[in-house]
Amino acid sequence: MPPLPYAPEVTLGEGRTPLVPLTGSVAAELDFLVPTLSFKDRGTVVLAAHALRLARAGGLDRVVADSSGNAGTAAAAYCARAGLDCRVYVPGGMSPKKLEQIRAHGAEVVEVPGDREATARMAREAADGPGTFYASHVYNPYFTQGTKTYVYELWEELGGRLPDTIVVPVGNGTLLLGAALAVEELHRHGLVDTRPALVAVQAEAVSPLAEAFHAGADDIAGPAAVRPTLAEGIAIPAPPRARQILRAVRATGGTFLTVPEERIRAAQRDLARPLRGGHRHGLLGGGGSGPAAPGAHGGAAVRGGGEDGPGALRRLPRPRTGQNSSAPLRSSYVQ
């Protein structure tokens, strides 16, 4: 892959979202404070910088993307910032609010009859046209280079270490693959001694990766049935990079958890209410399937998910000997 692009004029100030303590060991990372309300900004700013580099070299006229929500909004916003024409393919029947967000940034929206995979196919076909750049948040390696930054910022925030376990929601898996890349790089360069376990969370209603993982399979058996879920942003019936995601979780000694709808709703209510007895029982609480997350004695950070639904949960370690356990949880990192 060519060197990462650098185009400071493309940034919208993404990243460095605050980490707000919820209890003595649980904190929320307010990722909805990034410009377009989701972690997709991290990867999209790198894609846009690369597209701008191609445009300046005379090899690009238009950016195309496919999305069911947040990625399309991010692509539209960062292309607008870079002065690039953008066309976003979306599945038919997408919510008017999401369509409005994409169009607000001046992007052309193409509604595709059929499901999410039909939308991706049409975008890929359009990308074969001359002068067209496919800003895929699933396949383009530049996107992963952007999403990995939240783990680097976590490493900085924790004083040059990582938590025992990192827990993230998984649909297409780009957030988890970015985490895996960052962890591998930090370990390879000797900046961390051990690698945190990666724990992937899926809605029980649509959980093809969790089913494959607990069956010991290397890939999903086929597309999962699509059932209604509050976590619609991660309801991906057939993640294209399933094999990589499963391999990344297993390589770190992590696992998959699934959460039923009543537990998702309970966690949302729990976050909105006053603390009772020093605990928030909805966070990483029972009711889901799969073994408990490794290092379950530690704290957790909760991350916002923008328009696509609930955000990530990330485990934070107990303070080590000599650390100030009463120090407030603060954050200058992202995602």
Side-chain angles (χ1 to χ4, degrees):
M1 191 171 73
L4 288 177
Y6 178 68
E9 65 272 31
V10 175
T11 184
L12 289 168
E14 60 289 331
R16 299 288 177 182
T17 52
L19 185 68
V20 176
L22 299 180
T23 72
S25 60
V26 180
E29 184 179 0
L30 307 186
D31 230 29
F32 57 85
L33 295 177
V34 295
T36 77
L37 312 181
S38 86
F39 81 91
K40 297 294 198 312
D41 290 3
R42 291 186 170 276
T44 305
V45 68
V46 184
L47 289 179
H50 180 51
L52 181 59
R53 179 168 63 184
L54 295 175
R56 287 172 171 169
L60 185 147
D61 299 316
R62 170 180 290 156
V63 173
V64 299
D66 58 274
S67 172
S68 58
N70 287 340
T73 300
Y78 282 90
C79 283
R81 177 70 166 171
L84 300 170
D85 288 339
C86 181
R87 177 184 294 167
V88 181
Y89 292 82
V90 303
M94 200 166 84
S95 73
K97 185 175 181 180
K98 291 181 179 180
L99 294 174
E100 182 181 354
Q101 284 182 320
I102 296 171
R103 291 188 173 117
H105 298 289
E108 177 188 357
V109 174
V110 178
E111 296 188 63
V112 180
D115 59 12
R116 183 68 180 80
E117 181 52 35
T119 304
R121 282 197 302 270
M122 185 166 286
R124 290 194 295 268
E125 291 171 4
D128 288 335
T132 304
F133 175 72
Y134 183 28
S136 170
H137 64 284
V138 176
Y139 296 108
N140 197 300
Y142 284 112
F143 187 88
T144 309
Q145 293 293 328
T147 59
K148 76 180 183 182
T149 56
Y150 80 90
V151 173
Y152 276 95
E153 292 176 9
L154 174 59
W155 176 82
E156 292 175 347
E157 182 68 16
L158 296 178
R161 60 189 176 93
L162 289 176
D164 298 326
T165 308
I166 295 176
V167 185
V168 295
V170 172
N172 276 311
T174 53
L175 186 60
L176 185 137
L177 292 174
L181 177 60
V183 167
E184 192 277 329
E185 290 177 348
L186 286 165
H187 187 264
R188 186 174 71 244
H189 290 292
L191 296 173
V192 293
D193 296 328
T194 59
R195 307 182 193 200
L198 296 178
V199 175
V201 180
Q202 294 203 287
E204 188 178 87
V206 185
S207 52
L209 291 164
E211 292 174 13
F213 180 88
H214 293 298
D218 294 329
D219 202 349
I220 60 173
V226 179
R227 293 182 288 168
T229 175
L230 292 166
E232 64 179 47
I234 58 171
I236 306 298
R241 301 177 70 177
R243 295 180 69 89
Q244 292 172 269
I245 297 164
L246 292 166
R247 188 163 58 244
V249 172
R250 290 189 173 115
T252 65
T255 190
F256 271 81
L257 303 177
T258 60
V259 186
E261 295 303 294
E262 63 270 19
R263 295 304 302 166
I264 296 174
R265 178 62 73 191
Q268 290 176 326
R269 289 195 299 264
D270 194 47
L271 285 169
R273 292 173 177 171
L275 191 65
R276 295 188 300 274
H279 299 286
R280 291 190 181 276
H281 299 288
L283 296 179
L284 293 181
S289 66
H297 58 273
V302 185
R303 300 223 286 257
E307 182 62 25
D308 270 357
L313 299 176
R314 181 172 57 238
R315 304 285 307 168
L316 293 176
R318 281 180 175 173
R320 297 177 179 175
T321 303
Q323 287 182 305
N324 181 5
S325 61
S326 64
L329 288 172
R330 300 185 186 277
S331 169
S332 59
Y333 67 104
V334 288
Q335 240 331 85

